């Protein structure tokens, strides 16, 4: 599930702080220019105001309140209660004694502990306080901010009904009894699950690639898979280049405990948000100039939130670039099976297979949270071609292993290839239906979406509805959508998108009837925006 | 003719190439020997018997009985929504019913002598993850935790590898049965200071691994006073709390805090897991119980990297909220472990080997120092090698537990059947007889 957050932390207050400054500055400069016009006019007239302006900005910079660090993101439907957090922090301060004050936590922890003031959390909290329910709470807030897929549970439930007695824990003895799954297992996953997963991944990409189980490391979700790779490929202070807009969770997964930086490489709507190698090269050089070592590129393919696929050519170019700069590529393919368009998904694994590339620099991340709708079971994959990385990653999975009963259940499920094949097909079909319905509804309101063909969401262009073409304007619209239209969507600024007005709207948690209601609500807000603009 | 241009190989991080995972120590080398030649009653009766793995296999039948009579634990019931809700549930707060069951289970283990609030329970995929997570939260890279020796060899990796935190040992020795003294605490703290290292906390394991003994009340009080004086944290890894042979002999730090009305409690954090007491290490279930709100919040968020499968949470919530089952399990498990312990102690004694007096855990702490050719680490490793290759028993040498006195070994007894244990004891007996004859 994706989480988003606002990167600028307090965008409104900052831009507001800046504007009055500018105005005050100008009022000082203009009379000054008049004064100096008489003597040494041009030079003094330009130098002095510049100097004054510079010192004024410096003064302001020093006295601006410190930015909170990137906020952590909650994967929850019931996120932490902000009010409670404040209260209990002060309580612990009261109870501590001694002249030292309360016992200290690490600086890593301090930044993570700060209360979440990101709009994304406000959105999640609001939804959990007032969740929409067709019958019991028809005026509640409809959730379009979580990329979860609820369309195909009936298929899994049917499978469970037919296969339950063979899966998980039986009492027939042997592998299925508790003595089979209770003891210590290899921390990077049972070989049987790796084999089953390799088969599933191959089905997902349409059998264009076969995956080797011995190159696989299984983790408790894609979240730790990314973190483990970050720990293995980069030292604290190093950086990864990441095309924007990107999944806000990367800020947590790749950076929190690793000390690694993420450098955004901005993509534009004119390119349909597809990465340009020129932009990548620029970002690489700029980062190097700042004295920061770039260790790799992190891409999502299919993209989140933009929902597009990287064309074959771009993948080749990326590999060439990585080889030229001698860096890694981490490719998050978690939405590979959640396709709704007609385009063909090309996995990085396929590119590597067909060409004689230096495979040591390529690492793929996958998981069952999206394509199989099982985020709660915590199943992720690192698929790497680099033996040293596999060796280190294997050891690191002791901190993030998949629970044995879940492994057993999935071995059964994924090995049933008839089931998985049917599931993959029907899933795509249902995602497509919802997508088409949603996009058609938006079209009627005059709202366009980016051209996309994968993911559980649309990347919607609502720039026409925002009052000022800025992050502030975008967040104002987000607020209206949340509190007036009562739908929770993810603003592009939370995904580091450089163009304001884009929103990610997940539609796979909705029913067909819900979509109609969502469109109607957006319509009402759209009307008010048009009137006021 | 084309010239081969060698491409520079792409680099890895320091973490990836470091040796801090510690997997080259004898502790892990013994496992390799076992993997290559594992004992099997029928297929390989002369193979290596694994006595280096602290796993609890004595009470599986109780778990199996429960699961058979409570099928709702391993399935999701008839309700349409229950499977999908569970499958979607990835909230780092954890399943409320499971947190509640875990808190009440921890209370039961302590005979109701301490209360646990489900709101303070943070779930992790195993105690391994819990210990690492706490280290990330309590200390910065370059800081240190004080850990009494001998200690579980896995700490070198769990507390240090990715965190960049150091371990400074609190030296304990056999003169007082390896108890932690205030002098040893001060000495360790000063040693760290002398090296310009900031100490952030003390980490104790109670009951102790590898000693197999509980820490006395007076010692716990002293440790708590020490950490309060220095304004640092105390982590109490109580993973073996349910494996104490007699309930009354285990004092949890939670009881000490309750007696003090929770004054200074915000520096205390307890680690627990179901891997030892319930014999379910494969399930990956650990917990941090912290009296510090900031630590609870931060640990929750950080647990995103190490969540427990919602399927497993659901299963265990069913099991652990069944008070009848848990009371019965705790009692019977204790009994069986005590019986095993008595069996191995008796067997070793009749072979002329003494152990530290223990009252908990899945292992005993054996003194083979009289057998050492030289009273050195090398002497100990030589003996360990004989045990491994001649006697064909994988036991853990004290040196991998960072003990300063050579000759002590940890021997596990709960990860095998009684028959296998008897065979192991016979091999030791024969080994000792042989040595007597050789002298």
């Amino acid at each position: 599930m994706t989480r988003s957050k606002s990167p600028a932390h307090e965008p409104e207050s900052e831009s507001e702080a800046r504007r009055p400054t500018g105005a005050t500055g100008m009022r000082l400069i203009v009379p000054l220019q008049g004064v100096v016009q008489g003597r040494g006019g041009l030079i003094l007239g330009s130098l002095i105001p510049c100097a004054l302006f510079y010192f004024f900005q410096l003064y302001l910079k020093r006295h601006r309140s410190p930015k909170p660090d990137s906020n952590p993101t909650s994967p929850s439907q019931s996120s932490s209660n902000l009010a409670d957090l404040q209260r209990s922090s002060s309580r612990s301060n009261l109870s501590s004694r001694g002249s030292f004050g309360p016992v200290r936590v690490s600086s890593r922890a301090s930044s993570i502990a700060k209360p979440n003031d990101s709009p994304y959390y406000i959105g999640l909290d609001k939804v959990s306080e007032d969740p929409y329910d067709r019958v019991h709470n028809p005026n509640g807030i409809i959730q379009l901010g979580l990329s979860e897929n609820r369309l195909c549970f009936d298929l899994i439930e049917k499978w469970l009904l037919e296969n339950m007695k063979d899966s998980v824990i039986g009492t027939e003895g042997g592998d299925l009894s508790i003595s089979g799954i209770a003891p210590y297992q290899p921390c990077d996953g049972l070989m049987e699950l790796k084999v089953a997963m390799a088969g599933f991944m191959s089905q997902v990409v349409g059998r264009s690639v076969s995956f080797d189980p011995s190159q696989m490391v299984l983790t408790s979700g894609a979240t730790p898979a990314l973190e483990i790779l970050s720990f293995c490929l980069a030292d604290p202070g190093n950086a990864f280049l990441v095309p924007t807009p990107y999944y806000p969770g990367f800020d947590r997964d790749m950076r929190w405990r690793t000390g690694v930086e993420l450098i955004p490489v901005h993509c534009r709507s004119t390119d349909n948000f597809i990465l340009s190698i020129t932009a990548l090269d620029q970002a690489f050089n700029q980062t190097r100039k700042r004295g920061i070592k770039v260790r790799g590129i992190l891409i999502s393919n299919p993209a989140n939130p933009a929902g597009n696929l990287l064309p074959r050519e771009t993948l080749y170019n990326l590999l060439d670039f990585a080889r030229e700069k001698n860096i890694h590529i981490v490719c998050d393919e978690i939405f590979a099976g959640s396709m709704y368009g007609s385009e063909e998904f090309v996995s990085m694994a396929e590119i590597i297979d067909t060409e004689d590339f230096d495979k040591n620099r390529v690492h793929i991340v996958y998981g069952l949270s999206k394509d199989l709708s099982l985020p709660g079971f915590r199943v992720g994959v690192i698929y790497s071609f680099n033996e040293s990385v596999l060796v280190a990653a294997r050891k690191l999975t002791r901190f993030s292993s998949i629970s044995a009963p879940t492994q057993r259940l999935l071995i059964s499920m994924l090995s049933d290839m008839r089931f998985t094949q049917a599931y993959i097909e029907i899933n795509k079909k249902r995602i497509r239906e919802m997508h088409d319905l949603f996009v058609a509804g938006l079209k009627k309101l005059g709202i366009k979406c980016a051209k996309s063909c994968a993911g559980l969401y649309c990347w919607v262009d609502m720039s026409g509805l925002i009052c000022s073409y800025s992050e502030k304007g975008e967040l104002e619209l987000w607020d209206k959508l949340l509190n007036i239209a009562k739908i929770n969507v993810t603003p592009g600024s939370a995904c580091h998108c450089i163009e304001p007005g884009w929103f990610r709207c997940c539609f796979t948690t909705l029913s067909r009837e819900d979509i109609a209601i969502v469109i109607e609500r957006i319509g009402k807000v759209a009307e008010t925006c048009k009137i006021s603009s | 003719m084309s010239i081969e241009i060698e491409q520079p190989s792409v680099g890895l991080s320091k973490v990836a190439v470091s040796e801090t995972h510690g997997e080259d120590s004898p502790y892990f080398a013994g496992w390799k020997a076992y993997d290559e030649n594992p004992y099997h009653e029928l297929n390989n009766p002369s193979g290596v018997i694994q006595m280096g793995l602290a796993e609890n296999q004595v009470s599986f039948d109780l778990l199996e009985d429960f699961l058979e009579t409570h099928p709702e634990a391993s399935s999701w019931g008839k309700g349409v929504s229950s499977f999908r809700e569970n499958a979607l549930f990835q909230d780092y707060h954890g399943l409320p019913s499971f947190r509640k069951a875990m808190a009440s289970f921890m209370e039961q283990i302590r005979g109701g002598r301490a209360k646990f609030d489900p709101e303070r329970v943070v779930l992790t995929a195993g105690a391994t993850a819990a210990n690492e997570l706490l280290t990330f939260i309590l200390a910065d890279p370059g800081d240190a935790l004080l850990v009494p020796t001998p200690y579980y060899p896995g700490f070198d990796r769990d507390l240090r590898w990715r965190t960049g935190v150091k371990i400074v040992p609190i030296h304990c020795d056999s003169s007082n049965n390896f108890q932690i003294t205030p002098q040893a605490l001060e000495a360790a703290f000063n040693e760290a200071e002398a090296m310009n290292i900031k100490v952030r906390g003390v980490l104790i394991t109670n009951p102790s691994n590898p000693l197999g003994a509980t820490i006395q009340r007076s010692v716990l009080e002293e440790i708590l006073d020490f950490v309060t004086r220095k304004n640092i944290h105390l982590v109490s890894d109580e993973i073996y709390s349910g494996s104490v042979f007699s309930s009354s002999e285990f004092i949890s730090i939670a009881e000490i805090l309750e007696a003090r009305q929770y004054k200074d409690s915000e520096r205390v954090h307890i680690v627990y897991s179901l891997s030892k007491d319930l014999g379910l290490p494969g399930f990956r279930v650990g917990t941090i119980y912290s009296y510090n709100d900031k630590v609870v919040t931060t640990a929750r968020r950080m647990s995103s990297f190490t969540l427990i499968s919602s399927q497993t949470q659901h299963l265990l919530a069913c099991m652990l909220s069944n008070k009848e089952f848990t009371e019965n399990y705790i009692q019977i498990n204790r009994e069986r472990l005590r019986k095993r312990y008595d069996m191995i102690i008796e067997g070793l004694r009749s072979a002329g080997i003494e152990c530290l007096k223990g009252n908990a855990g899945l292992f005993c702490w054996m003194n083979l120092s009289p057998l050492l050719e030289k009273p050195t680490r090398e002497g100990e490793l030589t003996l360990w090698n004989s045990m491994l290759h001649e006697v064909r028993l994988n036991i853990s040498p004290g040196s991998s537990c960072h003990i300063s006195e050579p000759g002590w070994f940890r021997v596990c007894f709960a990860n095998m059947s009684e028959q296998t244990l008897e065979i192991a004891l016979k091999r030791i007996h024969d080994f000792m007889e042989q040595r007597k004859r050789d002298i």
Side-chain angles (χ1 to χ4, degrees), chain A residues 76-190:
Chain A
S76 62
Q77 288 152 344
S78 62
S79 48
S80 58
N81 192 322
L82 286 176
D84 276 348
L85 175 64
Q86 311 285 25
R87 189 161 46 89
S88 51
S89 289
S90 56
R91 198 171 47 216
S92 77
N93 277 334
L94 279 175
S95 63
S96 72
R97 63 144 201 216
S99 51
F100 313 104
V103 68
R104 178 199 177 281
V105 295
S106 69
S107 6
R108 271 185 288 224
S110 294
S111 57
I112 296 167
K114 292 202 177 85
N116 288 316
D117 56 2
S118 138
Y120 182 67
Y121 289 96
I122 299 171
L124 280 183
D125 282 346
K126 289 258 169 154
V127 174
S128 61
E129 285 161 26
D130 182 17
Y132 167 80
D133 181 285
R134 206 170 314 133
V135 175
H136 303 291
N137 189 17
N139 292 322
I141 306 178
I142 304 183
Q143 176 72 281
L144 287 102
L146 290 182
S147 81
E148 266 174 8
N149 181 352
R150 294 182 184 228
L151 305 177
C152 294
F153 279 120
D154 58 318
L155 302 176
I156 302 181
E157 280 154 3
K158 180 161 171 282
W159 184 90
L160 284 172
L161 219 59
E162 291 164 7
N163 297 276
M164 206 50 207
K165 59 175 161 51
D166 291 337
S167 56
V168 195
I169 299 156
T171 47
E172 288 89 26
D175 271 335
L176 296 174
S177 72
I178 197 111
S179 51
I181 60 168
Y184 283 102
Q185 322 272 321
C187 45
D188 63 324
L190 295 168

Side-chain angles (χ1 to χ4, degrees), chain B residues 210-437:
Chain B
L211 300 178
T214 56
I215 300 183
Q216 291 177 15
R217 184 185 288 275
S218 54
V219 178
L220 287 173
E221 302 266 10
E222 277 161 3
I223 297 173
L224 192 52
D225 290 338
F226 175 80
V227 299
T228 308
R229 248 189 350 264
K230 303 289 188 191
N231 195 22
I232 58 180
H233 294 273
L234 175 61
V235 178
S236 181
D237 185 343
E238 303 192 347
I239 196 177
Y240 292 101
S241 46
S243 312
V244 187
F245 310 145
S246 151
S247 157
S248 53
E249 291 188 33
F250 170 61
I251 318 270
S252 164
I253 196 76
E255 297 174 51
I256 311 271
L257 289 174
E258 229 178 75
R260 294 186 182 196
Q261 273 122 27
Y262 298 107
K263 211 156 55 135
D264 302 316
S265 60
E266 80 282 355
R267 62 185 74 259
V268 180
H269 324 278
I270 297 175
V271 167
Y272 185 58
S273 157
L274 299 181
S275 299
K276 311 296 180 184
D277 293 346
L278 229 51
L280 299 173
F283 280 39
R284 308 317 302 141
V285 180
T287 150
I288 295 172
Y289 187 89
S290 175
Y291 294 90
N292 183 315
D293 296 335
K294 200 171 183 185
V295 173
V296 170
T297 310
T298 313
R300 280 234 168 90
R301 292 177 182 174
M302 238 191 238
S303 69
S304 304
F305 298 108
T306 183
L307 297 175
I308 303 177
S309 166
S310 51
Q311 173 197 9
T312 302
Q313 292 191 49
H314 165 78
L315 192 160
L316 291 170
C318 284
M319 196 185 273
L320 296 185
S321 54
N322 187 318
K323 291 253 165 74
E324 200 189 307
F325 166 76
T326 50
E327 288 285 356
N328 188 46
Y329 180 93
I330 292 170
Q331 195 193 326
I332 295 183
N333 185 46
R334 269 201 183 113
E335 261 307 304
R336 291 180 181 177
L337 289 175
R338 194 184 50 74
K339 198 162 152 248
R340 283 288 176 104
Y341 177 77
D342 289 343
M343 184 179 157
I344 196 176
I345 293 298
E346 195 39 56
L348 290 173
R349 191 168 286 145
S350 67
I353 297 174
E354 287 302 318
C355 297
L356 181 79
K357 182 152 184 333
N359 60 354
L362 311 174
F363 34 73
C364 61
W365 188 232
M366 184 168 73
N367 185 5
L368 293 184
S369 53
L371 300 180
L372 294 182
E373 278 177 29
K374 292 191 205 118
T376 59
R377 191 159 180 259
E378 287 68 36
E380 179 185 285
L381 287 175
T382 309
L383 180 57
W384 171 77
N385 251 303
S386 317
M387 294 299 281
L388 183 61
H389 297 287
E390 292 168 30
V391 191
R392 280 159 294 117
L393 298 177
N394 178 33
I395 57 180
S396 310
S399 48
S400 38
C401 305
H402 299 273
I403 189 183
S404 30
E405 295 171 45
W408 291 87
F409 291 81
R410 188 191 78 168
V411 187
C412 299
F413 54 71
N415 60 319
M416 60 189 76
S417 66
E418 269 188 33
Q419 292 83 352
T420 310
L421 184 56
E422 275 177 23
I423 292 178
L425 287 170
K426 179 151 193 316
R427 289 188 189 177
I428 295 177
H429 204 264
D430 293 344
F431 173 72
M432 295 298 281
E433 289 294 303
Q434 184 67 41
R435 284 185 70 105
K436 277 194 212 139
R437 282 197 289 275

